[in-house]
């Protein structure tokens, strides 16, 4: 219960910061000021937005299916929030350390689709229904390349446990056979006989251990934008066509829940990307001869230093990916639905299938 409460508080804090950051990033890229009045540099704007939403009237359309309409936001947020249960925040802190965390995550967040359909259908509004159908088609489609990219990591690491995958990418515990050959081959230092298990840092991240996973990371990141309904994949919420998409009829607290779910999904997919590809809670700094940067910035398992360093590195990498998502939103125009599906089925999925095949071959050769 304590882990649940701490995770929820951490998520709420990140979402509030992210909402503020999005406004400031958008303003910077459009040569504007952004929020300036509420608090220093407008830093309290997101907090006041939450207060405003909580005070708004909760309106349920008279023609709506009231049970579906009221249940949909809860189901959408619950499906996303349940995914955080298997995320290892530090070497010692994980809400639910189960051995099939990757499989659980893929299964639980797929329930999000059911909630979106319920919101669209229950609203009894054609724009909401169109937005829901677009969203479901998009999410179901992009789950395939995203899942294949994740599968390639699972094949290389030989584990479905997020925590074990995290340990494999650092100096605390690296149990992957053949790591030295893979990393040495990548950096061309095989003649030196350097064991990167003891070097740690960025040299033991999955995208460097197995270079094919760098392509898998790019595929996953693009698919995660579609999973989160973020631009340029935001046709389910296309305000120029559908007013607001599947949540057009929602107001007050229920709209706040949908807003929280969308930003929570952004955080979740970024956390998964960091854990699977970018070293998880491990430090990016390697040990260099007498300068043991990796040892100094990793901490000790079971002690406060390990929790603080692990949490710092995980959240730092996550915020970098979140900032990249914000930049992409205000850089690229929205895709048409045919362009969106072409990218998924004719570009990303074939490449992802090829990466899975190469990951299998890589694993066989490296054992």
């Amino acid at each position: 219960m304590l882990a649940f409460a701490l995770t929820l508080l951490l998520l709420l804090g990140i979402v509030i910061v992210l909402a503020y950051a999005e406004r400031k990033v958008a303003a910077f890229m459009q040569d504007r000021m952004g929020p300036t009045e509420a608090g220093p540099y407008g830093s309290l704007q997101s907090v006041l937005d939450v207060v405003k939403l909580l005070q708004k009237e909760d309106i349920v359309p008279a023609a709506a299916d009231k049970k579906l309409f009221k249940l949909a936001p809860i189901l959408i947020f619950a499906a996303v929030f349940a995914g955080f249960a298997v995320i290892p925040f530090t070497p010692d802190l994980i809400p639910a350390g189960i051995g099939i965390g990757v499989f659980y995550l893929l299964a639980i967040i797929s329930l999000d689709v059911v909630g979106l359909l319920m919101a669209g259908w229950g609203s009894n509004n054609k724009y909401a229904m169109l937005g829901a159908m677009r969203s479901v088609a998009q999410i179901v489609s992009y789950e395939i390349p995203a899942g294949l990219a994740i599968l390639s990591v699972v094949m290389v690491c030989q584990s479905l446990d997020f925590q074990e995958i995290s340990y494999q990418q650092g100096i605390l515990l690296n149990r992957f056979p053949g790591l030295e050959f893979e990393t040495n081959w990548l950096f061309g230092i095989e003649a030196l006989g350097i064991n990167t298990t003891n070097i740690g840092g960025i040299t033991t991240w999955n995208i460097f251990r197995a270079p094919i996973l760098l392509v898998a990371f790019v595929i996953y990141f693009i698919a995660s934008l579609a999973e989160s309904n973020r631009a340029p994949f935001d046709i389910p919420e296309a305000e120029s066509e559908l007013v607001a998409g599947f949540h057009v009829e929602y107001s007050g607290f229920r709209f706040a829940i949908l807003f929280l779910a969308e930003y929570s999904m952004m955080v979740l997919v970024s956390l998964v990307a960091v854990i699977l590809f970018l070293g998880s809670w491990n430090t990016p700094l390697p040990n260099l001869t007498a300068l043991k940067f990796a040892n100094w910035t990793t901490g000790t398992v079971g002690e406060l230093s390990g929790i603080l360093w692990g949490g710092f590195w995980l959240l730092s990498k996550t915020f970098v990916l979140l900032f990249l998502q914000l930049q992409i939103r205000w850089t690229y125009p929205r895709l048409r639905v045919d362009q969106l599906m072409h990218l998924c089925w004719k570009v990303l999925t074939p490449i992802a299938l090829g990466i899975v095949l190469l990951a299998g071959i890589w694993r066989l050769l490296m054992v």
Side-chain angles (χ1 to χ4, degrees):
M1 193 66 183
L2 179 61
F4 170 84
L6 291 176
T7 304
L8 182 58
L9 288 175
L10 177 63
L11 182 60
L12 288 173
I14 292 176
V15 168
I16 289 176
V17 172
L18 186 59
Y20 170 73
E22 177 149 35
R23 293 186 173 191
K24 281 296 187 180
V25 170
F28 175 76
M29 298 187 71
Q30 297 172 354
D31 198 22
R32 297 185 289 108
M33 294 294 292
T36 57
E37 300 298 328
Y41 301 100
S43 56
L44 296 180
Q45 185 65 56
S46 297
V47 177
L48 296 179
D49 285 341
V50 173
V51 175
K52 177 189 70 174
L53 286 173
L54 294 179
Q55 293 177 333
K56 280 184 173 291
E57 181 182 0
D58 180 25
I59 300 174
V60 179
D65 187 321
K66 293 178 175 54
K67 290 183 179 179
L68 293 181
F69 186 85
K70 294 178 179 179
L71 184 60
I74 300 174
L75 179 59
I76 293 172
F77 177 73
V80 176
F81 184 68
F84 287 89
V86 292
I87 297 297
F89 294 100
T90 71
D92 302 294
L93 181 60
I94 178 172
I98 59 177
I100 56 171
V102 175
F103 181 77
Y104 163 84
L105 181 71
L106 293 175
I108 198 69
I109 61 174
S110 64
L111 294 177
D112 183 36
V113 172
V114 180
L116 294 175
L117 269 180
M118 289 170 59
W121 181 264
S123 297
N124 195 23
N125 178 296
K126 64 180 179 181
Y127 294 111
M129 191 59 197
L130 282 172
M133 292 176 66
R134 283 183 175 189
S135 186
V136 169
Q138 176 175 304
I139 291 175
V140 170
S141 297
Y142 277 85
E143 278 181 351
I144 295 175
L148 291 173
I150 293 174
L151 178 61
S152 64
V153 177
V154 172
M155 293 175 67
V156 169
C157 295
Q158 293 289 286
S159 176
L160 287 167
D161 188 345
F162 280 115
Q163 191 68 295
E164 183 174 348
I165 294 173
S166 299
Y167 272 114
Q168 289 183 20
Q169 300 179 76
I171 61 172
L172 292 178
L173 176 64
N174 198 304
R175 299 176 296 205
F176 184 73
L179 172 62
E180 179 181 353
F181 173 77
E182 291 177 30
T183 311
N184 290 346
W185 170 85
L186 176 62
F187 290 97
I189 56 176
E190 63 274 6
L192 301 179
I194 297 177
N195 188 342
T196 55
T197 301
N198 298 321
I199 296 176
I202 197 172
T203 64
T204 52
W205 291 6
N206 274 335
I207 58 173
F208 292 101
R209 293 167 55 187
I212 55 173
L213 295 185
L214 180 58
V215 181
F217 167 66
V218 174
I219 292 173
Y220 172 81
F221 184 75
I222 294 174
S224 69
L225 293 176
E227 292 276 314
S228 307
N229 289 334
R230 297 290 297 181
F233 305 100
D234 59 340
I235 60 170
E237 303 172 8
E239 63 275 1
S240 59
E241 306 164 24
L242 303 178
V243 185
F246 61 88
H247 53 71
V248 65
E249 295 287 1
Y250 284 92
S251 62
F253 180 71
R254 290 193 174 88
F255 178 81
I257 292 295
L258 292 173
F259 184 83
L260 178 62
E262 179 176 331
Y263 276 82
S264 298
M265 179 63 96
M266 290 174 58
V267 177
L268 181 60
V269 296
S270 297
L271 281 169
V272 172
V274 169
I275 293 169
L276 294 180
F277 299 100
L278 304 180
S280 188
W281 37 255
N282 291 290
T283 174
L285 304 177
N287 288 328
L288 301 174
T289 60
L291 300 175
K292 305 295 184 181
F293 293 119
N295 293 339
W296 298 339
T297 58
T298 295
T300 305
V301 177
E303 297 184 3
L304 181 61
S305 62
I307 296 176
L308 294 178
W309 276 117
F312 171 75
W313 290 122
L314 182 74
L315 293 179
S316 297
K317 299 172 191 176
T318 301
F319 274 113
V320 170
L321 291 185
L322 289 172
F323 179 75
L324 186 58
Q325 289 190 28
L326 301 185
Q327 276 200 317
I328 289 174
R329 174 176 181 179
W330 301 104
T331 302
Y332 296 102
R334 181 182 300 124
L335 295 178
R336 298 194 312 265
V337 64
D338 61 310
Q339 295 171 329
L340 185 140
M341 290 302 175
H342 178 273
L343 177 64
C344 175
W345 292 106
K346 295 188 177 181
V347 179
L348 296 183
T349 299
I351 296 176
L353 286 170
I355 294 298
V356 170
L357 176 61
L358 291 176
I361 296 173
W362 182 276
R363 178 66 195 185
L364 290 174
L365 293 177
M366 293 304 108
V367 173

